[in-house]
Amino acid sequence: MFLHRLISLLVTAVLAFALVVACGRNLDHSATSSKQPLENCRKVQHSMGEACVPLHPQRVVTIHSSIFANAIALGIQPIATAYDMTEPFPTYLRGKVNGVELIGDLTQPNLEKILRLKPDLILGNPWAPNNYQQLSNIAPTVIPFRDLSWEQDLTELAQILGKEKAGAQLIEAYWQRIEQLKQALGNRRYQMQISVAGTFPEYIYAYGLNSAPGVILNDAELQRPPSQRKNSYYVENISEESLSEIDGDVLFCVVRGGDEGKEKLLQRLTQKPLWQQLKAVQQNHAYLVDYHWHHLDILAMNAIVDDLFKYLVNTL
């Protein structure tokens, strides 16, 4: 009896010790998973401090749509990303996102799913850094700085990923295309007023100078209607009675939801008498364009330039 009890105590002790060791390993992994051996990583300063970024990251997770697209442009294919689109990915990214897993909302990504994916680098959301500590316990996490220009955003990301040469080439190629657009338009670019607007069921808005189309149109020296010459991303809450504020020689209307979204919007707009009175509509210079016009990543910006060639150079 005594021997049986002794054996039971010994077994219990061994099991308890094994459980403590296992828990210790899990806690240790949680606390140190963001650390890499110094010879396999380099220190990067970012908005939340410092991270040791792998020299050649293979399993990158992004928590911001523009960072996701810029990483692809730089030659890094993320394994997963958070995204806020009504469709899984916009048209300009299709064909570039095979196998990419969606991990939830931009402000509240699914941490359990990220942990299961075993990333070696997480690129966080500059506009929602509140989950930085949780993410950095999973893998090295970098939160880029916010309120930068698109060039600074791309340059910073290129430095984080060790892709400085690729970043510089992308920026140079963009400016070359802008010069080609300016030459193709000639002096017309000083005379045309280009309006860019979008709609929600409740209201109509326009894009200001700080938006993606605002930046590109300014780079190409194209003119904007007076109401859109504001240093803001949006000019909001334009009433239906004030539709003339979005008129121009050319009007681009930014639409979510691809072709289906365009069809629904067109049906709604054509029922409005004031829409039919717009000069751009009457002259057949009003165009419905995809939602890439909303994004400031380099792939979206190149897609906007494609549209400008299509509608301003090849159509007008």
Side-chain angles (χ1 to χ4, degrees):
M1 188 71 169
F2 175 79
L3 181 61
H4 177 75
R5 187 176 179 184
L6 179 62
I7 292 173
S8 298
L9 288 172
L10 286 173
V11 170
T12 302
V14 169
L15 289 174
F17 178 77
L19 182 61
V20 169
V21 171
C23 290
R25 285 175 179 169
N26 288 337
L27 289 172
D28 184 64
H29 172 74
S30 174
T32 63
S33 61
S34 62
K35 298 178 182 179
Q36 296 283 328
L38 291 178
E39 66 272 14
N40 296 325
C41 68
R42 53 193 175 80
K43 292 182 179 180
V44 170
Q45 301 294 326
H46 59 94
S47 65
M48 298 296 287
E50 183 181 87
C52 205
V53 173
L55 297 180
H56 304 288
Q58 301 296 315
R59 299 185 62 79
V60 177
V61 168
T62 60
I63 319 292
H64 190 272
S65 52
S66 290
I67 293 173
F68 169 65
N70 276 337
I72 292 174
L74 289 166
I76 299 293
Q77 183 70 39
I79 61 170
T81 190
Y83 220 85
D84 66 344
M85 302 298 293
T86 54
E87 51 187 318
F89 291 105
T91 304
Y92 78 103
L93 288 179
R94 290 176 188 168
K96 304 178 187 296
V97 294
N98 294 336
V100 176
E101 188 165 348
L102 292 175
I103 51 172
D105 184 76
L106 295 175
T107 58
Q108 293 181 323
N110 188 321
L111 297 176
E112 291 183 5
K113 186 177 287 189
I114 295 173
L115 181 62
R116 287 198 300 270
L117 289 169
K118 299 180 180 179
D120 56 10
L121 176 63
I122 300 172
L123 300 172
N125 185 348
W127 302 94
N130 51 298
N131 52 21
Y132 167 70
Q133 192 58 54
Q134 294 167 300
L135 292 171
S136 63
N137 283 335
I138 297 173
T141 299
V142 174
I143 308 290
F145 291 92
R146 54 184 279 184
D147 295 323
L148 302 177
S149 69
W150 73 267
E151 286 187 72
Q152 291 172 314
D153 281 340
L154 183 58
T155 299
E156 180 192 22
L157 184 61
Q159 291 169 348
I160 292 168
L161 296 173
K163 295 284 188 177
E164 291 90 344
K165 183 177 180 180
Q169 290 173 339
L170 288 168
I171 292 171
E172 182 181 0
Y174 166 82
W175 284 108
Q176 288 176 350
R177 297 199 71 206
I178 290 295
E179 283 303 314
Q180 293 168 359
L181 179 61
K182 288 162 63 174
Q183 292 177 14
L185 291 169
N187 289 332
R188 288 192 301 144
R189 69 184 187 272
Y190 302 122
Q191 300 156 6
M192 288 190 294
Q193 284 196 355
I194 310 298
S195 175
V196 187
T199 69
F200 284 110
E202 301 83 10
Y203 63 90
I204 298 168
Y205 61 93
Y207 286 84
L209 297 179
N210 295 342
S211 65
V215 168
I216 295 171
L217 293 171
N218 183 67
D219 290 342
E221 299 177 345
L222 284 156
Q223 311 308 303
R224 306 293 303 284
S227 66
Q228 297 174 27
R229 299 171 192 168
K230 297 180 179 180
N231 290 318
S232 62
Y233 205 100
Y234 294 118
V235 181
E236 294 187 296
N237 295 331
I238 299 172
S239 66
E240 290 189 18
E241 293 74 21
S242 304
L243 271 179
S244 60
E245 292 183 18
I246 67 167
D247 204 0
D249 297 300
V250 177
L251 168 60
F252 292 104
C253 201
V254 182
V255 187
R256 283 179 181 256
D259 292 339
E260 182 180 351
K262 291 177 185 177
E263 185 177 346
K264 290 180 180 179
L265 179 62
L266 192 59
Q267 289 174 354
R268 184 155 59 92
L269 291 175
T270 52
Q271 296 173 4
K272 301 181 183 298
L274 291 177
W275 170 264
Q276 301 291 354
Q277 294 175 21
L278 296 179
K279 177 176 63 176
V281 174
Q282 291 178 347
Q283 296 179 355
N284 293 320
H285 293 159
Y287 306 107
L288 304 185
V289 291
D290 288 332
Y291 202 64
H292 58 256
W293 280 63
H294 184 78
H295 292 282
L296 269 165
D297 63 82
I298 189 61
L299 294 178
M301 294 179 71
N302 280 328
I304 295 173
V305 175
D306 289 340
D307 286 341
L308 293 176
F309 271 102
K310 176 181 178 180
Y311 293 114
L312 301 185
V313 176
N314 300 331
T315 302
L316 293 181

